[in-house]
């Protein structure tokens, strides 16, 4: 059985694939990593079974400074149109939202940084990737913008008190996560050291706390990544989508 081929787009040089890459490959995936803008993007997704889009420090619509962003959004639009197995993380989720009719804005309650917890919504209990996750999921937050409005017909899968739209699905196979699952304690410490904003906000980045948080993240999200590979390979049944019902009109 051939390995599912997954295109990984890395928008930010300081936002690597990290442990998520290990989880994908140990589940049998073959990865084509494209660091932007140096590596460019494929003309289409014909050669791929799945797509992963990572995070980055730019805004999802900061096209003047990063003229390749429209190409990423266009590729995500194609992934949704063809219902290609797709997983978008943080900025990736924001790019997915913008590409499909959602709205991204500066976070109304300020930046969200550090270990955190999100909660499953009702739809998540019957979703092929989310069903086996616990009710409360450990994640790493590091974003200043928020997905203020989900795209039309998006299914909300996870939420949190400060920012509602934490995880969502489009069609049967396309997923967006506002949070990070691919970081390491060392990477988060680097982010904190590089970020004057984080320093001024007194972000909690205690190394021991970060290590415990990432152990918990791995326990939850490593099996999730394995299921994503199964979804991309066609070995996991995708989500069922119930078409909207039409109003009944008396004759």
């Amino acid at each position: 059985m051939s390995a599912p081929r997954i295109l990984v787009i890395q928008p930010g040089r300081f936002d690597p694939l990290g442990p998520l890459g290990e989880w994908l490959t140990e589940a049998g995936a073959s990865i084509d990593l494209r660091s932007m803008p140096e590596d460019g993007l494929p003309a289409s997704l014909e050669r791929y079974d799945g797509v992963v889009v990572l995070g980055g420090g730019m805004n999802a619509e900061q096209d003047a400074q990063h003229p390749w962003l429209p190409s990423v959004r266009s590729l995500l639009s194609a992934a949704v149109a063809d219902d290609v197995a797709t997983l978008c993380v943080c900025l990736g989720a924001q790019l997915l939202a913008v590409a499909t009719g959602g709205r991204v804005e500066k976070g109304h309650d300020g930046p969200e940084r550090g270990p955190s917890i999100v909660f499953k919504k009702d739809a998540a209990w019957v979703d092929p990737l989310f069903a086996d996750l616990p009710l409360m999921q450990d994640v790493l937050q590091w974003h200043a913008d928020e997905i203020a409005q989900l795209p039309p017909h998006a299914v909300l899968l996870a939420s949190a008190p400060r920012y509602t739209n934490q995880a969502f699905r489009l069609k049967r196979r396309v997923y967006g996560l506002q949070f990070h699952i691919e970081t390491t304690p060392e990477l988060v410490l680097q982010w904190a050291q590089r970020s004057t904003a984080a320093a001024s906000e007194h972000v909690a980045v205690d190394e021991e706390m970060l290590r415990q948080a990432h152990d918990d993240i791995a326990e939850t999200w490593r099996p999730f990544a394995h299921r994503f590979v199964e979804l991309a390979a066609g070995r996991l049944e995708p989500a069922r989508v119930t078409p909207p019902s039409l109003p009944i009109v008396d004759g």
Side-chain angles (χ1 to χ4, degrees), residues 55 82 90 96 157-158 186 206 209 212 229-230 250:
D82 295 336
C90 200
L96 174 63
L157 298 172
E186 293 76 16
D206 174 79
M209 179 192 67
Q212 181 58 58
V229 174
E230 293 295 298
D250 292 333

Side-chain angles (χ1 to χ4, degrees), residues 37-241:
E38 296 84 1
D39 295 337
L41 295 172
S44 74
L45 296 174
E46 292 180 3
R47 298 172 50 240
Y48 300 96
D49 303 296
V51 180
V52 172
V53 183
L54 301 170
M58 63 286 294
N59 181 277
E61 298 177 275
Q62 207 168 12
D63 299 355
Q65 295 91 329
H66 307 281
W68 45 268
L69 281 174
S71 297
V72 178
R73 296 197 301 267
S74 178
L75 206 63
L76 286 172
S77 294
V80 174
D82 295 336
D83 203 21
V84 177
T86 301
L87 179 62
C88 298
V89 176
C90 200
L91 172 66
Q94 295 171 359
L95 288 165
L96 174 63
V98 170
T100 53
R103 191 174 75 253
V104 172
E105 299 176 350
K106 185 175 181 180
H108 71 275
D109 195 30
E112 192 172 29
R113 307 186 197 273
S116 186
I117 291 175
V118 298
F119 302 86
K120 284 170 75 169
K121 302 296 287 185
D122 288 347
W125 295 103
V126 292
D127 181 88
L129 297 191
F130 276 76
D132 289 341
L133 295 180
L135 172 63
M136 297 181 292
Q137 303 133 48
D138 292 282
V139 301
L140 192 285
Q141 300 281 10
W142 203 274
H143 64 98
D145 292 341
E146 65 166 314
I147 300 172
Q149 180 178 319
L150 291 177
H153 310 301
V155 177
L156 184 63
L157 298 172
S159 192
R162 286 183 66 191
Y163 291 105
T164 299
N165 299 321
Q166 292 287 345
F168 64 96
R169 189 189 71 238
L170 290 166
K171 289 194 172 180
R172 305 182 72 193
R173 298 176 177 85
V174 179
Y175 294 82
L177 311 179
Q178 175 58 87
F179 45 84
H180 291 275
I181 61 174
E182 81 293 358
T183 54
T184 64
E186 293 76 16
L187 180 63
V188 177
L189 288 170
Q190 290 175 21
W191 286 353
Q193 291 167 0
R194 289 177 52 84
S195 172
T196 55
S200 65
E201 295 154 12
H202 305 289
V203 177
V205 286
D206 174 79
E207 186 170 358
E208 183 56 37
M209 179 192 67
L210 283 175
R211 293 198 181 283
Q212 181 58 58
H214 280 83
D215 287 345
D216 295 337
I217 288 170
E219 183 178 356
T220 297
W221 295 100
R222 181 183 180 191
F224 175 93
H226 291 181
R227 290 193 293 275
F228 177 75
V229 174
E230 293 295 298
L231 183 69
R235 297 190 291 266
L236 180 65
E237 184 70 20
R240 294 184 179 182
V241 177

